[in-house]
Amino acid sequence: MTQITIDPGLKKAISDYQLPETLGFGNVMTPVMASCTYEKGKWGPLELLPYGPITMYPTAKVLHYAQEIFEGMKAYRVNGQGPFIFRPEENYLRFNRSAERMAMPHIPHNIFMDSVFELVSYTANFVPRRSGESLYLRPFMFATEESLGIKPAEKFRFMVIASASGSYFSNTSEGLSVYIERENARAFPGGTGFAKAGGNYAAGLSAAIKTKQLGFVQTLWLDARERKYIEEMSGMNVFVVINNELCTPKISDTILDGITRKSLIALARDSGYTVHEKNIDINELIEDIRAGRCTEAFACGTAAIITPINYFGESDGERIPLHFPEGKISMELREKLLAIQEGRVADTYKWIATVEPKTLP
Ligand SMILES: Cc1ncc(COP(=O)(O)O)c(C=O)c1O
């Protein structure tokens, strides 16, 4: 049983809160946050607090050595049903795989789940209700130990915050354009690419600047050894459709094992599609697009859902457009996945967990 304490200011923070009409992604934070600290080998009580600033010492190890991990998951309440959380067990398992890689403590199942479920139950009224919108949940853990020595910290804080969110992409009226990054690498064998660790994302930001300067929306990473095989994008996995069959890079220690990817593989196979998890050579892929064998491609992830790719491109400005920039199979799978996530069809996969809305006395 998790010991839960509720901050006396929480009731007012919730009653004063109003969801704005325009959401965007990751900007509109809802009024509850969960927090739990780890010290002397033990996790403390779980606190529910009003969303707000936190304090830590300038020597907190996370600020120097990036001992930080996170997760991304969503609660849905379309048409007032739910809230439903999509595959939270998968996020829990991945969080602990990340924790292990980054020399951080394992988070107990009850603390992770109670943080997420309690937060959503008190925030149920602020889960957006239009299809495609959701409450984006961000569990994260960071090293708070105050010392500059380079060694694994012994004090940590685990938190969950939530953001009422709409579409991840705000600038894709022309579709999702993808820049093939042939210079920098994001992850390398034996590294941390498979972990959801903040440092991986920082390593991708200079390429994000270049991507934007060149007029693209997303960066496609290639393998670090040969710069030959496609891996993933900075915050989503990738699929391509070749001869009406789906292909996606096979998971390795340089690719995040996406829960959307995993779910889509099951959904696509059950819908009669062949799905290959394999190495995809970027130059062969470009040939396949030019020859009309590869007709569509899409990005997928919790934030992005499924977003069809308009064209791939190179630093010299060359563009390789997809035959179906609006997606065909992509949009069919997107609708199937969203219908399950939003509770609009029977959940035969048992992917959905229901949250009981609660109010504070
Ligand atoms: C690097 C990276 N790849 C892939 C994904 C997609 O994973 P998921 O479908 O679990 O959100 C994400 C987002 O979480 C990501 O950050």
Side-chain angles (χ1 to χ4, degrees):
M1 264 282 277
T2 316
Q3 193 193 333
I4 301 177
T5 66
I6 295 183
D7 185 277
L10 193 61
K11 189 171 176 173
K12 183 165 171 5
I14 294 173
S15 63
D16 286 353
Y17 186 81
Q18 272 198 329
L19 206 57
E21 184 59 24
T22 310
L23 298 175
F25 181 84
N27 302 319
V28 175
M29 303 312 296
T30 50
V32 188
M33 62 186 192
S35 172
C36 193
T37 55
Y38 178 91
E39 216 175 325
K40 299 197 174 89
K42 281 209 305 267
W43 287 99
L46 168 61
E47 295 174 273
L48 295 178
L49 309 159
Y51 176 79
I54 56 172
T55 58
M56 60 186 165
Y57 282 95
T59 47
K61 282 192 196 289
V62 64
L63 299 177
H64 305 272
Y65 310 124
Q67 220 183 349
E68 191 270 354
I69 58 168
F70 65 97
E71 265 306 322
M73 51 206 293
K74 279 179 172 174
Y76 303 84
R77 205 173 189 195
V78 172
N79 301 327
Q81 297 192 75
F84 303 118
I85 302 182
F86 186 67
R87 306 192 78 175
E89 291 292 329
E90 292 288 333
N91 295 95
Y92 163 72
L93 292 171
R94 191 169 65 188
F95 195 76
N96 278 327
R97 289 200 295 275
S98 300
E100 193 171 316
R101 179 63 182 85
M102 302 308 288
M104 299 171 86
H106 192 274
I107 182 105
H109 187 265
N110 63 316
I111 295 179
F112 185 92
M113 291 299 171
D114 286 343
S115 302
V116 167
F117 278 71
E118 289 289 303
L119 188 154
V120 174
S121 64
Y122 288 114
T123 317
N125 279 341
F126 311 128
V127 183
R129 309 203 174 194
R130 289 177 290 224
S131 182
E133 296 182 344
S134 56
L135 186 70
Y136 180 82
L137 302 162
R138 170 54 61 88
F140 59 114
M141 179 178 13
F142 51 97
T144 51
E145 185 179 324
E146 311 94 24
S147 160
L148 294 179
I150 305 179
K151 57 185 170 84
E154 291 181 0
K155 280 166 71 177
F156 294 89
R157 188 164 178 181
F158 168 75
M159 300 188 75
V160 185
I161 53 175
S163 172
S165 292
S167 170
Y168 183 70
F169 295 109
S170 53
N171 52 349
T172 50
S173 51
E174 284 180 32
L176 178 60
S177 54
V178 173
Y179 171 60
I180 304 164
E181 172 59 66
R182 293 187 186 262
E183 284 171 31
N184 284 346
R186 175 184 185 272
F188 48 87
T192 58
F194 71 92
K196 230 167 144 54
N200 290 339
Y201 295 78
L205 293 178
S206 62
I209 294 173
K210 185 164 63 171
T211 298
K212 200 169 165 208
Q213 279 169 349
L214 289 166
F216 296 90
V217 175
Q218 266 290 314
T219 315
L220 178 69
W221 297 100
L222 304 179
D223 74 288
R225 250 193 209 130
E226 298 181 75
R227 305 287 200 281
K228 185 172 173 192
Y229 299 107
I230 66 172
E231 298 223 304
E232 61 177 328
M233 309 215 199
S234 299
M236 52 210 76
N237 294 112
V238 63
F239 281 74
V240 296
V241 179
I242 301 175
N243 296 328
N244 281 322
E245 298 184 346
L246 289 149
C247 304
T248 188
K250 71 168 185 273
I251 292 301
S252 69
D253 65 355
T254 58
I255 298 180
L256 192 85
D257 188 1
I259 298 161
T260 316
R261 173 191 179 280
K262 187 181 288 189
S263 308
L264 282 177
I265 291 173
L267 268 180
R269 286 190 175 140
D270 291 349
S271 306
Y273 290 107
T274 301
V275 184
H276 303 281
E277 296 179 71
K278 60 174 197 178
N279 288 337
I280 301 170
D281 180 318
I282 184 63
N283 296 322
E284 286 174 15
L285 176 64
I286 291 172
E287 280 312 301
D288 284 340
I289 298 173
R290 289 208 173 106
R293 290 183 292 271
C294 174
T295 43
E296 61 185 294
F298 61 88
C300 71
T302 299
I305 317 175
I306 292 180
T307 307
I309 294 170
N310 189 1
Y311 56 86
F312 291 99
E314 308 270 7
S315 55
D316 62 5
E318 188 183 2
R319 291 179 176 194
I320 307 114
L322 272 306
H323 192 69
F324 294 128
E326 293 87 26
K328 266 173 80 172
I329 296 173
S330 336
M331 292 313 274
E332 177 197 328
L333 293 176
R334 179 188 158 102
E335 173 47 31
K336 282 196 166 146
L337 179 67
L338 259 186
I340 297 174
Q341 291 174 326
E342 296 178 348
R344 292 187 273 115
V345 291
D347 172 28
T348 49
Y349 295 95
K350 306 252 180 305
W351 282 342
I352 295 300
T354 306
V355 183
E356 274 308 310
K358 285 194 207 166
T359 45
L360 286 168

